[in-house]
Each structure stands twice: as structure tokens, then as C-alpha cells.
Amino acid sequence: MSEQPDPALPDASSGDDPAGEEWWQAEGMPWKHKPGRADIICLSAISVAAIYGLVMLPLRPVMLGLAPHLLGSLGYRTGLVLVGALAAVGDHWWPLVLVFGALMSMKFDWIYWWAGRLWGRSILDVWVYGKSPRTQRRYERAWGWARRYESLAIFVTFLPIPIPAAVVYAALGAAGTSLRKFLSVAFASALVTSAGDMALGYWIGEPAVAAVNTYGKYLWYVSIAILVGMLAVYFYRERQRAAAEKTGAARADQD
């Protein structure tokens, strides 16, 4: 069933609202001009990447227990560590998983680089909007640091430390880093760090395999708990947003 336009909202087909603002000028949009085809595709790709991450969140515990090679090939660190542990007990698929894992760990990176190339600092303004002052400062530092160190900044995003990778990649796109250089450094970095994850698993060896076999008995419970937690966070944020809108409306009435 096709969705019908809400009569209470301005007609999107006309491109204008009662205040004379077109839809692409709305708050939260990264562009400062009427978006073209590239703008729409890039924004859609960012949305796809976000949805993929949400879908994989509850699936990863299941894949770790049932298909560690697939999880590692998708670039997830836990899968790569387990494949390394399996290699220590005779598994021979690790070279293929290593290559695919390195490639897939950077599968969405080019999108954020492209966003920076298209919109410059405007994409950072979108990402920091509504965030806490602490998060805003962290994003600002990452943006400036990326533009200063370039290749080193790319490498650091593949380490298990809390760096806002999307901000780094967008900053490099905005700074003019070529896509060829960006992807080359990203793949080399992904290959090195993925090999390190596998080496860690190989060093742990059989105990890691035994632990995952035990974990396999409970993996569905873990996935269900993650899914319930995601829903709880979503509804909590929706309640907060509704409460904030209600408070804002009440203040507007008082004024």
C-alpha cells in the first residue's frame, strides 16, 4: 500500500512549505544547495550503512557461534579472532578469511569519504547536532586531527579504540584526500589489524574454541537480550523526544 501524504503537512511535490522553505532546506540536511543525484545517493548510502549496522547487532552473536568464518569475512573483530583460534587447531581457511575480512571491514568507509567530499564541514554539523558538548568536542578534535595526520588517522580508526571513524573519513574527503590514496591506506591498515586479530586468536588457541563452543548453547539468548535492549533504548528515546516536544509546545503557549 502506498503511503498517502499527510494533509496536515505541506505538499512535498510543490517543493515549498507555508514558510517558503523547501524540503531540502530543512534543519538537519547536510547540503547548502538543492541536492542533485549524487547528494541523494550518498545520503541514501549512509542510511543503508546505518540500517546494516543495526541489523547485524543482534545477528553477530549468532554468527559467532554458528558461522565464525562468515563473521570474520564480514570484517568483525570477534570473528577474526575466532578464526585465528581455529587455525591453531588445524583450520586452513584463515588466509581467505583474512583477505575478505580486510576488504569488508572497510566496506562503508568510502561513503563517509564521499560525504565529506560532497558537503565538507556541513556533514559534521549534522552529526554533532543534538549531541552532548563532550561528544561535540570529540568529533571536532577528530575532524581536525584527521586533516592534520591523514594516513595515520586512517590507520588508527582500525584499532580497537573509540575513534569516530566516519568523522575521520569525512574530514579526509573534505580536505581533498584522493579516493585512491584513501582506499589504499584503508586496505593496508585493515589487513594489518585483521592479521593482528587473527594472531591474537592463534595465540589463545584451543581455549578460545572451547569457550565459543560453550557459548553456542546460549547464543540465542544473547541475541534476544540485545534485540530487547535495542527496542528499550528506542522507545526510551522516543518518550524523551515526545516529552521535550510537549514541554516546548507548553512554553510556546505561555509566551
Side-chain angles (χ1 to χ4, degrees):
M1 181 183 297
S2 61
E3 184 178 353
Q4 298 298 319
D6 189 335
L9 298 175
D11 185 359
S13 63
S14 67
D16 297 304
D17 65 13
E21 183 183 79
E22 298 191 21
W23 68 269
W24 50 269
Q25 295 175 314
E27 190 174 19
M29 295 297 184
W31 39 64
K32 302 299 183 183
H33 57 271
K34 186 173 183 178
R37 181 180 181 185
D39 299 300
I40 300 299
I41 292 175
C42 186
L43 190 64
S44 300
I46 291 176
S47 300
V48 169
I51 293 171
Y52 173 87
L54 290 175
V55 170
M56 286 299 298
L57 197 58
L59 290 181
R60 281 159 57 184
V62 176
M63 295 176 67
L64 180 63
L66 300 181
H69 292 86
L70 177 58
L71 186 63
S73 297
L74 291 176
Y76 289 100
R77 181 166 283 107
T78 50
L80 290 166
V81 171
L82 183 54
V83 170
L86 292 170
V89 296
D91 186 272
H92 300 295
W93 288 101
W94 68 266
L96 194 61
V97 174
L98 174 61
V99 174
F100 275 99
L103 286 171
M104 291 299 288
S105 65
M106 49 180 284
K107 53 187 171 293
F108 296 128
D109 297 354
W110 63 273
I111 299 174
Y112 303 110
W113 173 92
W114 190 22
R117 177 60 62 91
L118 284 175
W119 307 315
R121 187 182 168 80
S122 295
I123 187 61
L124 179 64
D125 296 335
V126 172
W127 285 337
V128 300
Y129 179 77
K131 296 291 193 302
S132 67
R134 180 179 180 181
T135 300
Q136 291 181 16
R137 289 192 298 269
R138 187 163 66 92
Y139 282 19
E140 292 281 356
R141 285 195 297 267
W143 184 274
W145 188 77
R147 295 168 68 92
R148 182 177 180 182
Y149 293 102
E150 198 174 32
S151 296
L152 178 60
I154 297 173
F155 176 76
V156 169
T157 62
F158 288 90
L159 298 176
I161 54 180
I163 296 291
V167 174
V168 171
Y169 304 151
L172 295 176
T177 301
S178 68
L179 181 60
R180 180 177 180 178
K181 179 178 181 178
F182 173 75
L183 293 179
S184 297
V185 175
F187 178 68
S189 302
L191 195 62
V192 169
T193 53
S194 297
D197 292 332
M198 280 194 173
L200 175 62
Y202 188 89
W203 177 73
I204 298 173
E206 190 172 352
V209 178
V212 170
N213 288 335
T214 302
Y215 161 78
K217 301 176 183 179
Y218 308 99
L219 55 87
W220 289 107
Y221 298 104
V222 175
S223 293
I224 292 172
I226 292 175
L227 185 59
V228 171
M230 290 172 60
L231 292 174
V233 170
Y234 170 77
F235 286 116
Y236 174 74
R237 289 179 176 174
E238 284 296 302
R239 288 183 60 185
Q240 281 191 320
R241 183 180 63 82
E245 290 179 352
K246 185 176 180 180
T247 301
R251 290 177 178 174
D253 290 340
Q254 290 176 358
D255 295 340

